[in-house]
Amino acid sequence: MAKKLFIETVGCQMNVLDSEIVVGTLKKQGYELATEATDADVILFNTCSVRQHAEDKIYSALGRIRIHMDENPHKILGVLGCMAQKDQELILRRAPHVDVVCGTGQLGRIAELIEDAKSSGKPQLALSLGRSDASKDEVERSFESYDPSRETAMRPNSFQAFVRIMFGCDKFCTYCIVPSTRGPEQSRSPDHILAEVRLLADQGCKEITFLGQTVNSYYYKHGDGRTTTLAGLFNLIHDTPGIERIKFVTNYPKDMDDELLDAVRELPKVCKYLHVPVQSGCNEVLKRMKRLYTVEYYIEMLQRCREKVPGVAVSSDFIVGFCGETEESFRRSCDLVEKSMFKNSYIFKYSTRPGTKADDLYPDDISDATKKRRNNDLLAYQDANSLIDHRAKIGSVVDILVEGPSKLAIKHPDGPRQLTGHTMTDHITVFDGNDRLIGNTVKVLIEDATAFTLFGRIVTDEVSGAALVSREATIAKPSVTPAAGRKSLEVIS
Ligand code: SAH
Ligand code: SF4
Ligand code: F3S
């Protein structure tokens, strides 16, 4: 009988991708996915350390499964990812029923670790080196993991995929744990990235999202001295047959150069969407965060983005209640949100992270009640702008890559069939339609909007009444890529 595997993933898209790769590797070893943890022979948690709350969730899940593990000693329980790299042996002290602790850079060894834990009956730890444990080269190698076995079944659908173009981060924002959990910043070779994109396209993938902690800092130095930037990478993969959309997250404000913005404007498959977190609207706070730019720089950068890429949508992240954030500093974040017209912002309450500069240097002096209030206040400014931004789309016709049934349709399976997908500017859109459209790009006329969602109607062919689907999307593998920007329309019924 096939061995069963259960995996729960928290954290960012990097973790989603890591889980996909772990499942791919283990499926090759004969594992099948289970939907319930207690049905599985191997139970894995892929973890996040970015805020305390994310860690608490995993420690409680580990607590809940303890009795089951004690009653089934042959089963294997593994903790993977950022919290594994950060907490290391502490995990075994807090949860002695854990069998495998495997850091982000060691996931390639997961199958071997599971086997070793089974045969020896002893916990197995696989961790990358700390920044000061060895030479830069050795530390880098301990985090390197080529992304080999892609598992389409782990993705929510076969036509969208993440592609990691960078590992790690060297920015060391003072609040952030990521440089220690993900290690030194390293750009993957363009050849490997292109090979992966081609493989995904051959499997039917239409939308690629490039991932990097600071994706626009991508910089690869070839053996012969040539270099490739993110703009170069876009050009390299742009005409891959089958690929229709190229997204990229997350951008670092300082590295938003004109070469990149020109490429975003000129290349039709590149989404006109920039996620560029600012974190705070107050220069003193930015300085304590070591973000390396000022509010004035950020505003100028925003203007440049909008001038260079007309119609571009921009979103941001904010941290509220960072050490020493006065009411006045916080008001500056509200002012920035009010002025910036972000499509949306992700707002987080500061969570002190042991081992970071901020935790060493500054007291976590803002109460949780104040953090909560500031979070809500800032969100209210953002929501007002999100509504304006979304309502401005009413009356326009947008291209939507249909991703699947909307949340509402999943909840009410007998109601009208509502589908959902994103525009080229990353706006979530909901509309009625047939399941056969899933995986195709359709034209949708926007008729209504809330602060979070666009609502529309599929534009149909006047004669047949069938949905208009872009031609490229209906051909599984076109032998010739349509020239950039020349997408003709075809009817799907
Ligand atoms: N590499 C990305 C994202 C890193 S983590 C970037 O640089 O933008 C995602 C978001 O979590 C950050 O943008 C930040 O807003 C938030 N974050 C990171 N550390 C945090 C902490 N200690 N407390 C609260 N929010 C945090
Ligand atoms: Fe963390 Fe800053 Fe790196 Fe983003 S850029 S991952 S916030 S250290
Ligand atoms: Fe969390 Fe690690 Fe991502 S800390 S946000 S899973 S890089």
Side-chain angles (χ1 to χ4, degrees), residues 10-15 47-50 82 177-178 181-182 213:
V10 294
C12 64
Q13 289 120 322
M14 282 284 180
N15 264 16
T47 62
C48 171
S49 280
V50 80
C82 288
I177 196 71
V178 173
T181 62
R182 292 270 168 186
Q213 296 299 340

Side-chain angles (χ1 to χ4, degrees), residues 169 171-173 175-176 178-179 213-214 252 279 291:
C169 181
K171 300 286 197 252
F172 287 101
C173 305
Y175 52 80
C176 185
V178 173
Q213 296 299 340
T214 55
Y252 188 68
Q279 312 295 359
R291 283 294 284 185

Side-chain angles (χ1 to χ4, degrees), residues 272-374:
K272 311 305 175 217
Y273 167 62
L274 303 168
H275 183 56
V276 207
V278 60
Q279 312 295 359
S280 168
C282 170
N283 282 335
E284 279 145 46
V285 173
L286 286 176
K287 199 162 174 197
R288 275 201 301 281
M289 289 177 162
K290 196 170 158 280
R291 283 294 284 185
L292 306 177
Y293 52 83
T294 59
V295 179
E296 292 72 25
Y297 166 85
Y298 188 87
I299 292 172
E300 183 274 329
M301 180 221 67
L302 257 188
Q303 266 167 3
R304 204 155 39 84
C305 293
R306 288 178 170 143
E307 272 162 30
K308 289 256 172 202
V309 190
V312 72
V314 183
S315 65
S316 188
D317 291 355
F318 283 84
I319 295 176
V320 294
F322 185 61
C323 321
E325 185 190 64
T326 60
E327 216 45 46
E328 202 188 330
S329 322
F330 170 65
R331 285 288 139 211
R332 295 198 172 120
S333 290
C334 297
D335 287 349
L336 185 64
V337 166
E338 212 178 1
K339 275 194 224 132
S340 300
M341 282 311 294
F342 296 120
K343 172 176 84 77
N344 65 297
S345 290
Y346 300 92
I347 301 168
F348 305 102
K349 292 185 290 171
Y350 173 59
S351 167
T352 188
R353 307 284 59 220
T356 59
K357 265 263 158 58
D359 188 59
D360 277 353
L361 294 178
Y362 316 118
D364 180 16
D365 53 359
I366 310 296
S367 72
D368 198 52
T370 305
K371 286 177 185 170
K372 248 188 211 147
R373 175 185 44 83
R374 290 182 183 170

Side-chain angles (χ1 to χ4, degrees), residues 439-464:
N440 287 296
T441 301
V442 296
K443 299 250 168 228
V444 172
L445 169 67
I446 303 304
E447 296 180 314
D448 200 359
T450 66
F452 316 103
T453 313
L454 302 177
F455 297 92
R457 161 164 70 80
I458 293 183
V459 179
T460 48
D461 178 66
E462 280 183 18
V463 183
S464 67

